Amino acid sequence: MIFESTAKMYDVLGELFNELMKDQPLYQKFIDSDITIRFNISDPDGYIWLTRDGKVICGEADYKPTIEMTLSGDTCHKFWLQEIKMPVALAKGLIKAKGPLPKVLNLLPLIKPAYVIYPDIAKKHGIL
Amino acid sequence: MSYLELNLDLTDEQLMLRDNIRKFALEVMRPTAMKLDQMTPEEVIAPDSIFWDCMKQAYKLGLHKILIPEEYGGLGLSPIEVHMVVEEMGYGSSDIAIALGVSCFPAFLASMVPTDELINNIIVPYCEDTEAKIMGCWAITEPDHGSDSLAPGTAQFKDPNIYGQCRARLEGDEWVINGQKAAWVSMGTAATHAMVYLTIDPSMGFAGGGICLVPLDLPGVSRGKPLNKLGQRALNQGEIYFDNVRVPYEYMLVDQESYEAILDITLATANAYVAAVFTGVARSAYEEALNYARQRVQGGKPLVEHQHVRYKLFHMFKTVEACRALSRAAMVYNLSTSPPATEYSIASKVFCTDAAFQVAHEAIQIFGGNGLAKEYAIEKIFRDARAGMIEDGSNDSLALFASERLI
Ligand SMILES: Cc1cc2nc3c(=O)[nH]c(=O)nc-3n(C[C@H](O)[C@H](O)[C@H](O)COP(=O)(O)OP(=O)(O)OC[C@H]3O[C@@H](n4cnc5c(N)ncnc54)[C@H](O)[C@@H]3O)c2cc1C
């Protein structure tokens, strides 16, 4: 298990998403897409929310998600390191998505900046 | 004619969207398809054919990009809106609705794995096209493999003795493709791009496949003669041949590692689309029969006043409503859930295409001799409905394959 605890996972992934939301064009695109995403993470268990008003929340929260992505902490880590591709993750059942397909597909281009910054964040937290 | 909308949650905008597409379906798609139906397959796709006028109008309305996300200029419709629009298109003409459906295949699949190259050279130009200059197709079946190629999740799909003949091998940073796709590839004759489902690793059987986006102007691509067939004649079909066709590495969107799962998603989406189209076909057959029965007088009164005719009309009505209920539910679920519950899309495809044929068959009976005459739309609708039971997978095989998921 790459994240030794839920707290550690929130530190790393929380930083990733907060950094992304600081990117003005990306933030604007996210706001325009008018969606709330909930990542349901296992091993370690936890939730991360990206809310339609641009907030990043780690843990339980009272929002209605438009999209839910269910995956493990290890899959998260590998995904942001580009060690696992989306079709393969879907094929192997590593990522399960719930939410209108066009909205899910809309998000894919937003993922790119995360690929760029994640390795440094992972290194900083001693997991790479 | 409209139907009573049973979903009370739909907004005025959604209902307006449906009504606009219905108008286009009735005023443009159906009359165009009726004329094309009388032409030879070569005439249907000739440069001056009315097919292209209709496609241009459809592209201007954005009907070629209903599944593509807004991010790239697609319509980004919600799953229920996709169903409403596709049902109306099928109501106008199943053949043109299918042509528009296959057209978006390359851009739709590319939007699942969007690289800058694919976004800039494939998805965005397709979304910006209002002249029907860019048209996709889905090339999966082969002369020797029809049902075989549409059986993900079954034991036969992994049998190393059964694999597709159209092959790709990696040479440096290019894929080299050789082989042939079936005469049944919809728009294979005229498409500019193909989503080719082919074999990479035959030792894995069909599961060792890949999905490659192939621009059809590449050296080594050639086409067969347009196919002459019974129904859906406005939908042109023909072989595509690949002779050492070299494709950039990243155009292989999916390789053998995830082929079976992505084919499953493809089938879940395509079968749901076809089910919505044939809900529209069933509705068109029912309405043709109802309108005719209101006017035709026998035994001194309109046919609708004969109890037996009314009884038949009721069962046709009931069937159309059941088609909509099942196909909407399956589409909404499967366009909102990944991995999808493909057996529901298959159930809706099999149910709606069987039902459309049955309703069209009853409609012809209500028309009497006139039902067999070319001047009445029902004659074409009946032939179109027959083709629906084979396209996108023969209903028998689909049912058998899906049944494996139930046990
Ligand atoms: C209008 C139309 C549009 C089409 N569009 C496209 C397209 O865009 N792209 C494309 O690639 N193809 C397309 N097709 C091809 C279509 O997918 C095939 O026709 C279909 O999958 C059936 O394959 P087949 O015709 O080779 O029949 P076969 O596979 O030879 O089947 C013949 C019969 O045998 C039965 N059968 C086959 N295998 C089994 C089994 N394992 N167990 C029991 N029974 C079995 C079938 O159910 C069927 O009744 C289209 C076809 C039509 C009619």
Side-chain angles (χ1 to χ4, degrees):
Chain A
M1 207 163 76
I2 194 81
F3 301 111
E4 68 215 17
S5 65
T6 301
K8 174 87 175 184
M9 179 177 74
Y10 286 165
D11 276 353
V12 178
L13 297 180
E15 182 171 338
L16 171 73
F17 289 122
N18 277 307
E19 281 303 313
L20 285 177
M21 290 297 181
K22 283 186 196 151
D23 177 329
Q24 193 52 37
L26 195 143
Y27 173 81
Q28 198 50 52
K29 262 191 187 171
F30 185 78
I31 296 290
D32 292 346
S33 66
D34 191 32
I35 50 171
T36 293
I37 310 174
R38 185 173 77 186
F39 293 94
N40 305 325
I41 305 171
S42 55
D43 301 323
D45 295 352
Y47 298 105
I48 298 182
W49 298 76
L50 307 181
T51 65
R52 47 171 39 85
D53 46 357
K55 275 197 244 130
V56 178
I57 300 170
C58 295
E60 298 275 5
D62 192 17
Y63 285 88
K64 196 175 175 330
T66 328
I67 294 174
E68 285 182 67
M69 305 289 267
T70 303
L71 70 177
S72 71
D74 284 8
T75 301
C76 273
H77 180 69
K78 285 191 188 138
F79 185 77
W80 297 123
L81 287 176
Q82 295 193 67
E83 284 174 6
I84 183 164
K85 287 193 274 173
M86 187 62 114
V88 178
L90 288 173
K92 296 191 169 161
L94 298 174
I95 300 182
K96 295 192 165 63
K98 234 185 178 62
L101 183 67
K103 289 203 187 285
V104 176
L105 296 181
N106 249 339
L107 288 176
L108 294 182
L110 302 182
I111 288 172
K112 239 172 63 185
Y115 289 151
V116 180
I117 60 175
Y118 187 72
D120 284 345
I121 295 176
K123 266 186 213 142
K124 194 177 116 188
H125 289 272
I127 53 169
L128 187 65
Chain B
M1 208 164 84
S2 192
Y3 55 86
L4 178 66
E5 179 52 69
L6 298 181
N7 183 339
L8 297 175
D9 294 332
L10 295 178
T11 64
D12 288 347
E13 287 77 26
Q14 288 174 318
L15 296 175
M16 202 154 49
L17 170 75
R18 180 199 62 186
D19 294 347
N20 287 340
I21 305 304
R22 174 176 310 148
K23 192 166 170 336
F24 178 71
L26 267 185
E27 291 176 6
V28 181
M29 289 175 73
R30 191 172 305 168
T32 303
M34 291 276 290
K35 285 186 197 135
L36 292 170
D37 183 56
Q38 306 293 313
M39 297 180 188
T40 66
E42 285 78 9
E43 286 166 347
V44 167
I45 48 150
D48 59 351
S49 165
I50 52 168
F51 174 77
W52 297 110
D53 301 330
C54 177
M55 288 308 261
K56 280 180 197 167
Q57 290 185 60
Y59 270 52
K60 285 197 170 76
L61 287 173
L63 294 179
H64 64 305
K65 53 182 181 181
I66 52 179
L67 285 173
I68 316 268
E70 277 167 299
E71 171 75 19
Y72 313 114
L75 292 192
L77 298 181
S78 69
I80 196 161
E81 290 163 359
V82 172
H83 186 281
M84 291 163 75
V85 168
V86 175
E87 179 186 333
E88 294 311 319
M89 294 200 294
Y91 172 70
S93 124
S94 56
D95 24 22
I96 294 174
I98 299 290
L100 286 161
V102 294
S103 183
C104 86
F105 252 85
F108 174 59
L109 266 131
S111 71
M112 289 189 183
V113 279
T115 60
D116 287 346
E117 159 78 17
L118 293 172
I119 294 172
N120 297 331
N121 293 327
I122 302 291
I123 312 173
V124 171
Y126 177 71
C127 288
E128 286 175 350
D129 184 14
T130 53
E131 295 293 319
K133 289 203 169 112
I134 307 175
M135 184 170 284
C137 67
W138 179 24
I140 179 164
T141 60
E142 297 180 353
D144 292 340
H145 297 287
S147 308
D148 288 352
S149 55
L150 292 166
T154 62
Q156 73 170 58
F157 205 71
K158 295 182 186 68
D159 182 340
N161 298 311
I162 313 173
Y163 54 85
Q165 159 274 336
C166 188
R167 306 266 292 262
R169 62 169 200 280
L170 194 57
E171 266 187 25
D173 57 359
E174 287 179 326
W175 289 95
V176 182
I177 304 177
N178 279 292
Q180 174 190 349
K181 287 294 170 186
W184 293 101
V185 175
S186 300
M187 295 315 297
T189 44
T192 55
H193 295 75
M195 210 68 249
V196 186
Y197 286 52
L198 37 64
T199 300
I200 296 177
D201 180 357
S203 72
M204 295 166 70
F206 263 95
I211 304 177
C212 191
L213 199 163
V214 184
L216 294 174
D217 58 356
L218 289 178
V221 174
S222 56
R223 325 278 184 125
K225 201 170 151 311
L227 179 77
N228 201 358
K229 65 184 194 290
L230 173 90
Q232 294 183 35
R233 292 174 58 84
L235 173 69
N236 218 253
Q237 294 179 290
E239 294 102 341
I240 307 179
Y241 302 92
F242 303 91
D243 181 10
N244 282 318
V245 176
R246 293 184 164 271
V247 184
Y249 179 78
E250 68 173 304
Y251 277 42
M252 186 69 76
L253 307 186
V254 170
D255 63 17
Q256 65 273 38
E257 210 181 341
S258 46
Y259 179 74
E260 193 171 5
I262 301 297
L263 172 58
D264 201 55
I265 295 176
T266 312
L267 197 60
T269 311
N271 267 205
Y273 186 98
V274 170
V277 168
F278 282 87
T279 298
V281 173
R283 189 175 113 225
S284 67
Y286 160 65
E287 285 185 11
E288 289 295 309
L290 179 62
N291 290 337
Y292 184 83
R294 281 176 174 153
Q295 285 154 22
R296 172 81 174 166
V297 176
Q298 286 297 294
K301 52 188 179 184
L303 293 181
V304 279
E305 289 183 24
H306 292 289
Q307 192 186 41
H308 185 60
V309 173
R310 278 220 303 266
Y311 175 85
K312 277 184 191 238
L313 286 167
F314 172 78
H315 282 288
M316 292 157 81
F317 156 79
K318 171 204 77 179
T319 304
V320 173
E321 291 301 315
C323 285
R324 183 174 307 112
L326 177 59
S327 62
R328 260 195 198 174
M331 182 181 274
V332 168
Y333 185 86
N334 278 340
L335 288 188
S336 308
T337 311
S338 192
T342 306
E343 62 275 25
Y344 284 84
S345 288
I346 293 178
S348 71
K349 188 271 174 179
V350 171
F351 184 85
C352 295
T353 52
D354 281 351
F357 180 69
Q358 195 54 41
V359 173
H361 170 73
E362 290 292 2
I364 293 218
Q365 204 64 19
I366 290 175
F367 268 77
N370 280 341
L372 308 175
K374 294 265 176 213
E375 65 184 286
Y376 289 94
I378 192 61
E379 186 269 345
K380 173 179 183 294
I381 293 170
F382 176 75
R383 284 182 286 112
D384 291 350
R386 187 62 189 86
M389 294 156 84
I390 297 170
E391 79 188 311
D392 229 37
S394 133
N395 284 1
D396 320 59
S397 307
L398 286 174
L400 281 171
F401 300 154
S403 71
E404 291 198 20
R405 297 164 196 250
L406 310 180
I407 51 179

